[in-house]
Amino acid sequence: MLGLNYASLDTDNKPAATPPIDVTALISDPAERVRLKGLLEETLYGSWPEGLPVSFSDWRIIVPDYLEGRGTLEEMDITIGADAGARTFQLVAAFPNGAVQAPVVIAQTFGSNCATFPEQPVTSLDGDPCTIRDFGKFAGMIISAVFGEYIAEAPVDLYFDAGFAYASFHASDFIPDDKDEAGPALEGLGGDPNPGSVLMAWAYAFSAAVTALEADERLDNERMAILGHSRHGKAALLAAAWDPRIDAVISHQSGFGGAALSRSPSGERLDRMVKSYPHWLAPSAAAYAADPARLPFDQHHLLALIAPRPLFLGNARRDVWSDPNSSYRAAIAASKVWKAYGETGLKDDITHFDPAADIAYFLRPGGHSIVDDDIEAFLAFLSAHLGTKPELPNRMRAP
Ligand code: GCU
């Protein structure tokens, strides 16, 4: 947990992901996708809130000459919910000047929008423009020292350099990451069904951001990537499994409930997760967490639901808590589905990073954080897959 150990690079001496994926059924029979998603909902995650209303405001220009005039920083309100308990949060987006059909990265963050866009007057939690108090400069310095330079601040200039627009929202502004507050917040959203867990609700928030951004002609609807770290990397995987409009996924250090195999005995494990973060998963998850062998699937099935769209899985050698080794074994098992679609799939080497592979596994030294090397790897992956318009849009290839 403290990052003092190293994840094993040995995969041959550990069990392959089980149960096996029925690759033929998954790529040829839409009913198999429905069945798998049903299993994920019934056991760990609860319902995806299909059809839960999403509405959004016009853009407000926050900084007309953002990054020394390279673009604009804008903000909109997104509202999700069917009842009086509908909830509103702010999506902040940086558009490069003259953007026409630009690809976009949509991030969901731990840090507030004030921390993601430091020193910019985006709206803070109290409804006023962010001030130094909201940036929490000192607290921010400590967090960055432990969890990496980019754990909060978005390096928008680098995304601009690669030709991407960048949008971001703070997940807890929608549903608080708090075991007491989350339940009533979810229930208040209404809908039939209601989101079955906080991870499902955060996943749906990615989807709501896609709905809002698709309406903007500056962006290319066929090149929309989502990005999440850790708990938000879990939500990103769920969002892409349920929403075919998502064209590529960066899921960084997602761990248990994300890309790590629930049957793996190393790392956090689901039994610890349901104790510390009971709101993330559905109430039904506790029984499976106590005995993961009872699960009728494992996380390679979740990854496989994203194929053939490009998927990046970020890992770090000392991030043993999120179990890079079992995430690799999940990726190897899921890779068969990418290959069956005629894509490259994953190379059989845990240390080999190929950003152009459709399922790209990245392992660096260091711990649970977002550092320079991660951003470089994210950008290499994004440029390889969405840097130029694909001949056949990813969403048309997706079932
Ligand atoms: C905790 C939790 C992990 C999670 C991580 C994070 O460590 O146990 O499951 O991924 O927080 O979100 O940073």
Side-chain angles (χ1 to χ4, degrees):
M1 188 176 185
L2 296 176
L4 301 177
N5 296 325
Y6 289 96
S8 162
L9 299 180
D10 241 324
T11 50
D12 293 343
N13 61 355
K14 296 180 185 60
T18 54
I21 297 172
D22 185 340
V23 179
T24 314
L26 190 58
I27 70 164
S28 56
D29 180 2
E32 177 63 3
R33 298 182 66 77
V34 174
R35 187 186 74 87
L36 271 181
K37 289 196 283 186
L39 292 178
L40 291 160
E41 291 182 314
E42 282 157 29
T43 54
L44 295 186
Y45 301 105
S47 298
W48 168 260
E50 186 68 41
L52 188 63
V54 171
S55 59
F56 51 93
S57 71
D58 288 335
W59 289 110
R60 295 182 290 273
I61 297 185
I62 302 292
V63 186
D65 52 354
Y66 182 53
L67 292 178
E68 295 173 352
R70 293 187 68 189
T72 53
L73 191 67
E74 308 185 18
E75 181 182 86
M76 67 155 62
D77 302 324
I78 296 185
T79 302
I80 301 180
D83 289 343
R87 299 175 71 89
T88 299
F89 60 97
Q90 278 74 46
L91 176 73
V92 178
F95 294 94
N97 282 335
V100 181
Q101 296 286 297
V104 61
V105 179
I106 309 165
Q108 168 177 130
T109 63
F110 283 90
S112 66
N113 288 346
C114 297
T116 304
F117 301 96
E119 294 172 40
Q120 308 301 328
V122 298
T123 303
S124 69
L125 270 183
D126 56 21
D128 296 327
C130 302
T131 61
I132 192 76
R133 191 165 42 86
D134 301 298
F135 303 140
K137 204 151 198 162
F138 188 60
M141 274 161 53
I142 296 176
I143 291 170
S144 310
V146 179
F147 293 111
E149 189 178 349
Y150 296 118
I151 193 68
E153 178 172 356
V156 177
D157 51 335
L158 300 179
Y159 288 96
F160 275 12
D161 288 347
F164 281 74
Y166 191 86
S168 182
F169 64 97
H170 177 212
S172 285
D173 288 357
F174 171 43
I175 299 293
D177 191 2
D178 180 287
K179 65 177 182 325
D180 299 321
E181 290 172 39
L186 290 177
E187 225 166 275
L189 293 174
D192 183 19
N194 195 245
S197 60
V198 166
L199 286 179
M200 271 304 203
W202 286 344
Y204 195 72
F206 268 124
S207 206
V210 169
T211 301
L213 292 167
E214 272 196 336
D216 194 304
E217 297 202 330
R218 290 171 291 182
L219 303 177
D220 185 349
N221 290 355
E222 286 157 10
R223 291 189 289 162
M224 296 197 158
I226 62 170
L227 161 65
H229 173 235
S230 210
R231 63 200 69 182
H232 304 299
K234 309 180 207 292
L237 295 173
L238 293 172
W242 261 265
D243 188 340
R245 299 171 306 164
I246 291 165
D247 300 302
V249 186
I250 296 177
S251 176
H252 188 52
Q253 304 181 330
S254 63
F256 282 76
L261 293 171
S262 302
R263 285 170 173 76
S264 168
S266 45
E268 176 178 16
R269 302 196 314 254
L270 288 180
D271 56 332
R272 294 196 182 112
M273 186 186 294
V274 296
K275 285 200 187 92
S276 311
Y277 306 97
H279 51 298
W280 287 359
L281 298 170
S284 52
Y288 295 97
D291 183 9
R294 281 184 51 204
L295 280 167
F297 62 89
D298 211 326
Q299 298 305 100
H300 53 308
H301 288 92
L302 171 60
L303 304 184
L305 285 167
I306 297 169
R309 293 163 291 164
L311 168 65
F312 173 101
L313 298 170
N315 296 273
R317 200 61 209 288
R318 288 201 144 169
D319 184 21
V320 174
W321 189 245
S322 73
D323 202 11
N325 190 293
S326 83
S327 302
Y328 179 77
R329 284 177 283 135
I332 280 287
S335 171
K336 293 193 181 107
V337 181
W338 270 266
K339 286 183 178 153
Y341 276 113
E343 308 296 335
T344 48
L346 190 64
K347 291 242 164 56
D348 206 359
D349 175 357
I350 193 169
T351 60
H352 178 86
F353 171 52
D354 176 5
D358 295 86
I359 170 164
Y361 180 95
F362 174 65
L363 179 68
R364 61 153 169 80
H368 194 67
S369 54
I370 309 182
V371 298
D372 279 352
D373 287 353
D374 297 321
I375 302 288
E376 201 180 299
F378 298 171
L379 285 163
F381 169 80
L382 289 167
S383 300
H385 296 283
L386 301 186
T388 51
K389 214 170 169 60
E391 268 167 39
L392 191 55
N394 288 311
R395 72 184 48 178
M396 285 182 60
R397 296 187 302 163

